[in-house]
């Protein structure tokens, strides 16, 4: 995996979500986000049948290979393995991180969603390469299963206890992205503010400029 | 894998479905079906979050190990790998069989749902160990994505072209199970007639008796 693929080097992490993308496909959203500077793409789709999800992931993998941007698959280890994605991201309601780590093998990235220092430490122990931390702010209709937002104040207790790179998530946009990094996050995951933007590339570029 | 685990030796294949089970869990349904003579259990759950599905599969795997009955996971290769299930069953809307075969490895069983000789031959070529054939009869609210039932007449053209064991599925119950074997199926997959029965063990035993 190239240096660019390391979670330590990521700043803008874009999560694709067709529910928010105004009819644009995962691949189209990802293509434009990458043009705007996304450092990593996560495919998140909780509703597509497995065959369709596989075909979407195959297309995303090609795009990500061509553009040298890592591709992370949300939840579905089967799809991550099937398309040889760069990694998997699991939430607290998904397969245990320790099981995912074992099945993924050492050459792939594993991200784990966490809300507390205890969850972060467990994720680290179970073999996570980075942790998601959130929800930071109120998000626009993205994660029905996310808890209530706790603000950037939730980052530093985790930062102090856990050495892993932190990808902050939840309602992050141009107006607050900088504050998230200042609170100790390594990078920011953006969903609706990019995916639902009329001009995805421009939205991504605007946020990316605030992060470097 | 023991001799009992071979698809050639199966007669009664029970698919668990919590939507039909009147509040009984996958594990409870499987336990009673096995007591009644089920030769193989398939876990099918298209709605549970991955973490819950994993926990269900762990419990089913323990039951199946204890009772020496093979466990097949529907659709979800990740769950099959995570619990070291005996196999995976994929439909035409799931991950391609060839990809599933590669990721499963040679020591596991792969089943593929088919409706035509062409699909059956492709499944055989892609590494299936058995094929599902159906829907044979009208089923009670089980598979929303299944086509219209074609009767036992659909079995013999597939039987003539494809050497794989055939697990017939779709509306099979005590009144028609025997006719399905006579048409060329190796075994019958039963869902609602067992899973929704008041006495699951008795229902399974009744159908099993017709198949041996």
């Amino acid at each position: 995996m190239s240096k660019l693929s390391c979670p330590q080097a990521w700043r803008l992490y874009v999560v694709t979500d067709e529910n928010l993308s105004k009819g644009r496909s995962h691949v189209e959203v990802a293509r434009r986000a990458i043009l705007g500077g996304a450092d990593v793409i996560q495919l998140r789709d909780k509703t597509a049948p497995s065959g369709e999800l596989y075909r979407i992931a195959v297309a995303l993998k090609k795009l990500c290979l061509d553009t040298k941007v890592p591709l992370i698959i949300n939840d579905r280890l089967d799809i991550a393995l099937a398309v040889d994605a760069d990694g998997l991201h699991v939430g607290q309601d998904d397969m245990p991180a320790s099981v995912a780590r074992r099945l993924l093998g050492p050459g792939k990235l594993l991200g784990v969603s966490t809300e507390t220092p205890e969850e972060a430490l467990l994720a680290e122990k179970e073999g996570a390469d980075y942790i998601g931390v959130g929800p930071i702010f109120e998000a626009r209709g993205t994660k029905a299963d996310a808890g209530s937002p706790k603000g950037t104040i939730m980052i530093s207790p985790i930062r102090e206890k856990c050495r892993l790179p932190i990808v902050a998530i939840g309602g992050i946009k141009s107006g607050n992205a900088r504050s998230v990094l200042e609170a100790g996050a390594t990078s920011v995951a953006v969903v609706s503010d990019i995916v639902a933007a009329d001009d995805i590339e421009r939205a991504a570029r605007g946020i990316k400029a605030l992060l470097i």
Side-chain angles (χ1 to χ4, degrees), chain A residues 1-123:
Chain A
M1 203 165 287
S2 75
K3 192 179 170 189
L4 283 174
S5 295
C6 292
Q8 287 82 356
W10 297 341
R11 293 299 170 266
L12 178 58
Y13 184 122
V14 174
V15 180
T16 72
D17 187 328
E18 281 190 347
N19 293 328
L20 296 167
S21 67
K22 301 177 175 171
R24 295 163 297 193
S25 69
H26 285 290
V27 175
E28 186 59 12
V29 168
R31 193 181 66 75
R32 296 190 196 186
I34 290 169
L35 286 171
D39 297 302
V40 50
I41 296 290
Q42 180 189 117
L43 168 62
R44 185 168 77 193
D45 191 320
K46 295 282 195 184
T47 56
S50 297
E52 186 186 337
L53 194 56
Y54 170 75
R55 287 187 293 275
I56 292 166
V58 165
L60 276 177
K61 168 71 181 183
K62 184 179 181 313
L63 170 72
C64 286
L65 261 183
D66 289 347
T67 52
K68 299 188 171 57
V69 168
L71 172 65
I72 307 289
I73 308 291
N74 183 286
D75 178 16
R76 295 291 297 267
L77 174 83
D78 48 352
I79 303 298
L81 293 175
V83 307
D84 191 29
D86 301 284
L88 175 73
H89 188 95
V90 294
Q92 297 289 326
D93 292 333
D94 299 336
M95 183 186 289
S98 56
V99 176
R101 177 78 277 168
R102 174 171 59 80
L103 296 172
L104 263 184
K108 300 294 182 184
L109 297 171
L110 177 64
V112 179
S113 296
T114 64
E115 294 192 27
T116 63
E118 292 69 33
E119 286 179 354
L121 282 172
L122 181 62

